[in-house]
Amino acid sequence: MSMIRDLRAVVRPSRPSLRKDGSAYDTTRDPGTPSAVVDCAVYRDGARIDTGKPLTPHEAMRLVRRDGGFVWIGLHEPTEAEFAGIAGEFGLHPLAVEDAVQAHQRPKLERYDDSLFTVFKTIHYVEHDQLTANSEVVETGEVMCFTGRDFFITVRHGGQGSLRALRHRLQDDPELLARGPSAVLHSIADHVVDGYVAVADAVQDDIDEVETEVFTPGRKGGVSRGVDSARIYQLKREVLEFKRAVSPLLRPMQLLSERPMRLIDPDIQKYFRDVADHLARVQEQVIGFDELLNSILQANLAQASVAQNEDMRKITAWAAIIAVPTMVTGVYGMNFEHMPELHARYGYPAVLAFTVTVCLAIHRTLKRNGWL
């Protein structure tokens, strides 16, 4: 156990930044290496073998079969033709190969004769100054992992989720890397889930901002008129995309932590429990986000309805006040000879005074009752 005592410090030295560049590994490729291969290396006794030149997957596997160790190949969005040679070299199952090339897969764990195929959804928080109805809050990518006895292959899709920094951290801990491909699989799983935790914290801030706006009293302490419902709905859609990445992954992590597998080192397997625990906590957060946004959306619609009713009451109240002078002027606009106070000296100001008095009385009554 002393060899992996510092496992968490290696794969999780700090929470991943939300603004890191997601570019591929900075590697000079050999002309014979498929363009999708961003890094290919052989590791023996926890150390990267320096051959003096970039290796092709075939050369790397030949070294492993001759001298031992394992090969770690990283690919970015390979085509079917680019992946065909690697798949044949390592004996990958055709169904897993098809999923890895086509992408857009659900997080899962599949066991084949000589390998494990694991799919992770990576989540990146998209920074924005203000949440709008068209804001992109989370951006997703995919990392597919083939774990074998003497090889580990990662296939990445999307502009985010680079594993370059993780590879470098593992290379700085030879005792951990000496545990083989299963140590790399755990490190990637922990890295991805840590990304979920960071994104969940950022999404929480967006939800708190919207919630504050919805429940902030209106001007002069009146009823809040809410916010644009499209903003809340857009945030809810982004949370749903987050949920689709998190929820399906929980079962595979539980299987990796609970069920013995010959391709997973028993000492490494214990640490998958920690990953599953963190993932379960994030899942609870995401489900809570979804339910909270439902409540916020309903409250916002209710506030908009109340505000509309208040506007209608005010319009009705003013219509009642205006009805008095309208009625009086309507009566005096009729062309009759005998009208009240028609020829009196103070008849005109008396009628005006009467109209104003009645209007003020109605205004005072409506205001006292909360209609104005």
Side-chain angles (χ1 to χ4, degrees):
M1 291 301 292
S2 61
M3 298 179 66
I4 55 174
R5 185 174 301 164
D6 297 327
L7 178 64
R8 288 179 56 82
V10 173
V11 300
R12 192 184 298 167
S14 62
R15 184 164 292 177
S17 169
L18 296 176
R19 303 191 185 193
K20 278 189 177 178
D21 177 30
S23 58
Y25 309 126
D26 187 14
T27 303
T28 302
R29 298 188 181 93
D30 184 85
T33 303
S35 60
V37 177
V38 292
D39 202 353
C40 177
V42 173
Y43 297 90
R44 191 176 304 122
D45 298 326
R48 179 169 180 153
I49 304 301
D50 184 8
T51 60
K53 67 171 185 176
L55 293 173
T56 65
H58 176 72
E59 292 171 340
M61 198 59 195
R62 189 170 56 186
L63 286 176
V64 168
R65 288 169 180 162
R66 186 187 67 188
D67 301 324
F70 74 95
V71 57
W72 180 359
I73 303 173
L75 301 99
H76 181 247
E77 297 183 353
T79 63
E80 185 175 352
E82 289 173 328
F83 200 36
I86 296 175
E89 180 71 34
F90 294 94
L92 306 180
H93 196 279
L95 292 177
V97 171
E98 181 181 2
D99 288 347
V101 172
Q102 293 182 354
H104 304 294
Q105 301 299 315
R106 190 171 184 265
K108 60 183 177 180
L109 170 67
E110 294 179 343
R111 288 176 292 181
Y112 296 99
D113 293 337
D114 299 317
S115 65
L116 291 175
F117 178 59
T118 315
V119 178
F120 299 95
K121 285 278 190 182
T122 58
I123 298 291
H124 171 73
Y125 180 77
V126 180
E127 297 286 349
H128 47 267
D129 295 330
Q130 184 178 7
L131 181 66
T132 67
N134 298 317
S135 293
E136 185 179 15
V137 179
V138 296
E139 182 182 0
T140 61
E142 292 179 60
V143 175
M144 288 102 162
C145 303
F146 293 88
T147 307
R149 182 181 58 82
D150 51 9
F151 66 86
F152 190 83
I153 302 172
T154 58
V155 181
R156 186 168 61 86
H157 290 268
Q160 305 298 330
S162 172
L163 302 175
R164 175 175 51 186
L166 177 63
R167 184 187 284 255
H168 290 167
R169 289 202 301 269
L170 284 172
Q171 289 175 172
D172 290 337
D173 187 356
E175 290 187 356
L176 173 61
L177 202 53
R179 291 287 180 172
S182 61
V184 182
L185 178 62
H186 168 267
S187 299
I188 290 178
D190 197 52
H191 174 76
V192 169
V193 173
D194 267 1
Y196 294 166
V197 174
V199 172
D201 291 341
V203 171
Q204 178 70 67
D205 292 338
D206 282 336
I207 295 177
D208 290 343
E209 179 182 345
V210 170
E211 185 178 24
T212 300
E213 291 184 28
V214 169
F215 292 101
T216 298
R219 290 176 297 179
K220 298 180 181 180
V223 177
S224 172
R225 296 182 178 273
V227 299
D228 183 8
S229 296
R231 292 174 56 195
I232 305 175
Y233 186 71
Q234 175 66 13
L235 186 55
K236 181 175 174 58
R237 290 188 62 180
E238 295 295 302
V239 167
L240 180 60
E241 186 174 1
F242 192 5
K243 183 178 179 180
R244 288 171 179 164
V246 173
S247 296
L249 186 60
L250 184 59
R251 182 56 181 165
M253 291 300 100
Q254 290 173 340
L255 288 175
L256 286 171
S257 64
E258 298 171 358
R259 186 169 298 178
M261 299 182 185
R262 59 187 178 86
L263 293 175
I264 303 297
D265 188 299
D267 289 333
I268 295 294
Q269 187 174 33
K270 300 173 184 178
Y271 289 90
F272 278 104
R273 299 174 190 170
D274 181 67
V275 177
D277 180 66
H278 282 78
L279 185 63
R281 189 176 64 186
V282 174
Q283 182 189 34
E284 292 175 358
Q285 280 185 280
V286 175
I287 292 175
F289 291 162
D290 192 34
E291 295 175 351
L292 181 57
L293 285 171
N294 283 335
S295 301
I296 293 174
L297 183 60
Q298 292 174 0
N300 188 64
L301 294 176
Q303 287 181 345
S305 178
V306 170
Q308 289 176 352
N309 290 338
E310 185 179 2
D311 290 340
M312 289 303 299
R313 286 199 308 173
K314 290 182 179 180
I315 293 172
T316 303
W318 283 110
I321 294 173
I322 295 174
V324 175
T326 302
M327 180 187 66
V328 173
T329 56
V331 169
Y332 277 87
M334 299 175 70
N335 196 17
F336 288 103
E337 182 178 354
H338 300 289
M339 299 289 292
E341 305 295 336
L342 186 60
H343 299 290
R345 182 177 180 180
Y346 299 105
Y348 180 66
V351 171
L352 288 179
F354 171 77
T355 302
V356 171
T357 302
V358 173
C359 288
L360 290 175
I362 295 175
H363 181 275
R364 183 177 180 182
T365 302
L366 292 175
K367 191 171 183 179
R368 186 171 60 246
N369 292 332
W371 282 60
L372 290 173

